[in-house]
């Protein structure tokens, strides 16, 4: 397999990441669809090994509708929703017996993700992998990025591509927006909710510039906003925003209920959902909605906020990795950057809801390991099913609940 060296921007946590195989508490070969590229599919069909041929015939099927060279076939999972080529040690039989060349593009790349911006490459990791989540989240220091020589082979998949040549489109200011967004998210003079509210106010104004065809003013606006952030001009205004546990609870509980109803394949995420429900006493049939809200408020103030005050870097790293990996604020094809910010907040809000319930469930026994489990399983259940959050976002817009004022309710505790 030919390999070439490429210059790429990479977060430093990637230097320490490697698959831990059988020692992993989960497996990336279970709970979702695994697609096979055309080249690998043809290689599988040429295998004559008596052990593999029956399994290949039974469990690898062509994708007939909207297939491509990357999404050419798929693996039909077994009765446990796991890859049939996984052995008892949770290792790939293809790789063990036939070599790395027999891994599909998806299997050889995951959890690494590669993006291209005007020809420049960037690599990061999706945090649906437990080990990648540990490497990305558990370092208390600010996440750093390096430009390195990256060895890539012909199987490497480019996930997202962004062209930023036309000054008439918001994408032209991608670097300005992304660098500034990460600067805000890593500004430890502010709490995480304050950083998100600063970003919300910022993107609300950015969207106004877009709507009024005044994008040329964006660089100047960013510089003036940097001064506002540095001087703490908005700090009192942000702190004065009221916390509405009632509305927050109802909105976020609705989001979680809808996701569970849509079906979840990750047992780890279902564990976190159950811990959340137990922590918020949703299993008590005689409890009123007001009692639930009071328990939610108590859990937030007694356990969640004290824990996060000591470990805020966990949420910071999750948010920064989201911005970097997804090319925020251009993670979708939408031209409304405030909508992209709203989607970002929905991710944060759901994680926060889980943490509030889970910290109350485990109390003094709650640790960073629980956060890692939540983040990686949430990424599997939610981030790998983007249609869910798009539906939620659409629902909030229809109810006129996607304004900054309503998003502030989701953000602030």
């Amino acid at each position: 397999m030919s390999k070439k060296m490429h210059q790429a921007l990479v977060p430093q946590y990637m230097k320490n990441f490697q698959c831990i195989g059988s020692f992993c508490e989960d497996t990336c070969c279970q709970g979702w669809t695994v697609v096979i590229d055309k080249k690998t599919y043809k290689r599988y069909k040429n295998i004559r090994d008596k052990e593999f041929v029956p399994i290949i015939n039974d469990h690898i099927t062509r994708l007939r509708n909207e297939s491509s060279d990357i999404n050419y076939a798929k693996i039909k999972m077994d009765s446990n929703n796991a890859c049939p080529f996984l052995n008892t040690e949770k290792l790939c039989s293809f790789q063990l017996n036939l070599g790395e060349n027999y891994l599909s593009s998806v299997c050889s790349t995951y959890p690494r993700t590669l993006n291209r911006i005007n020809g420049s490459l960037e690599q990061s990791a999706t945090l649906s992998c437990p080990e990648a989540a540990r490497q990305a989240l558990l370092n208390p220091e600010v996440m750093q990025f390096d430009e390195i020589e990256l060895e890539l082979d012909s199987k490497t998949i480019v996930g997202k591509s962004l062209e930023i040549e036309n000054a008439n489109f918001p994408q032209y200011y991608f670097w300005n927006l992304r660098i500034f967004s990460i600067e805000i998210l890593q500004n430890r003079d502010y709490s995480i909710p304050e950083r998100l509210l600063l970003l919300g106010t910022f993107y609300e104004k950015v969207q106004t510039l877009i709507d009024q065809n005044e994008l040329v003013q964006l660089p100047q606006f960013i510089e003036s906003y940097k001064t506002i952030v540095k001087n703490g001009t908005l700090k009192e205004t942000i702190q004065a925003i009221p916390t509405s546990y009632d509305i927050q609870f109802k909105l976020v509980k609705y989001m979680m209920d809808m996701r569970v109803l849509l079906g979840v394949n990750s047992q780890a995420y279902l564990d976190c959902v159950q811990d959340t429900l137990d922590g918020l006493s949703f299993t008590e049939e005689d409890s009123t909605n007001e009692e639930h809200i009071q328990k939610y408020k108590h859990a937030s103030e007694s356990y969640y906020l004290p824990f996060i005050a000591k470990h805020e870097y966990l949420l910071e790293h999750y948010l920064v990795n989201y911005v970097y990996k997804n090319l925020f604020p251009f993670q979708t094809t939408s031209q409304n950057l405030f909508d992209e910010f709203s989607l970002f907040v929905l991710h944060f809000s759901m994680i926060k809801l889980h943490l509030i319930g889970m910290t109350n469930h485990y109390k003094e026994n709650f640790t960073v390991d629980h956060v890692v489990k939540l983040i990686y399983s949430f990424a599997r259940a939610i981030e790998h099913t983007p249609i869910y959050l798009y539906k939620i976002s659409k629902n909030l817009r229809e109810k006129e609940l996607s304004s900054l004022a309503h998003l502030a309710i989701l953000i602030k505790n």
Side-chain angles (χ1 to χ4, degrees), residues 134-173:
R134 274 188 285 272
Q135 294 298 332
L137 299 176
L138 297 185
N139 182 0
E141 302 302 317
V142 169
M143 188 181 292
Q144 302 279 350
F145 300 84
D146 294 326
E147 191 167 359
I148 66 170
E149 285 276 312
L150 198 62
E151 189 177 48
L152 303 174
D153 59 46
S154 57
K155 287 187 176 184
T156 301
I157 302 171
V158 175
K160 295 176 182 287
S161 295
L162 189 65
E163 299 297 328
I164 51 177
E165 297 174 347
N166 193 327
N168 294 320
F169 292 94
Q171 287 86 343
Y172 183 78
Y173 299 96

Side-chain angles (χ1 to χ4, degrees), residues 199-237:
L199 270 186
T201 304
F202 172 76
Y203 276 104
E204 188 177 50
K205 175 61 176 178
V206 169
Q207 190 56 47
T208 299
L209 294 178
I210 293 172
D211 295 341
Q212 296 176 351
N213 294 316
E214 296 177 349
L215 270 173
V216 68
Q217 297 183 24
L218 183 55
Q220 181 181 349
F221 171 61
I222 289 176
E223 291 306 312
S224 64
Y225 204 81
K226 284 182 179 180
T227 302
I228 291 172
V229 172
K230 184 178 180 180
N231 294 339
T233 307
L234 291 176
K235 205 169 182 77
E236 287 187 9
T237 303

Side-chain angles (χ1 to χ4, degrees), residues 275-300:
D275 289 343
T276 303
L277 297 177
D278 290 345
L280 298 177
S281 302
F282 285 139
T283 55
E284 296 178 14
E285 296 180 1
D286 57 343
S287 295
T288 65
N289 198 51
E290 181 59 33
E291 287 175 324
H292 282 318
I293 294 168
Q294 289 305 312
K295 288 173 182 175
Y296 177 74
K297 181 175 183 292
H298 172 77
S300 174

Side-chain angles (χ1 to χ4, degrees), residues 170 197 216 226 253 299 320 398 412:
L197 290 169
V216 68
K226 284 182 179 180
K253 176 62 169 55
V320 170
E398 288 173 350
K412 192 174 179 185

Side-chain angles (χ1 to χ4, degrees), residues 179-213:
I179 290 171
F180 181 67
S181 296
I182 291 178
E183 285 179 359
I184 292 290
L185 291 172
Q186 293 184 330
N187 188 334
R188 296 186 176 182
D189 291 335
Y190 293 85
S191 68
I192 290 292
E194 289 172 339
R195 297 177 218 180
L196 287 172
L197 290 169
L198 283 172
L199 270 186
T201 304
F202 172 76
Y203 276 104
E204 188 177 50
K205 175 61 176 178
V206 169
Q207 190 56 47
T208 299
L209 294 178
I210 293 172
D211 295 341
Q212 296 176 351
N213 294 316

Side-chain angles (χ1 to χ4, degrees), residues 325-336:
K325 177 178 73 72
N326 293 300
L327 302 185
F328 177 86
F330 301 102
Q331 65 263 41
T332 74
T333 56
S334 171
Q335 293 298 305
N336 189 309

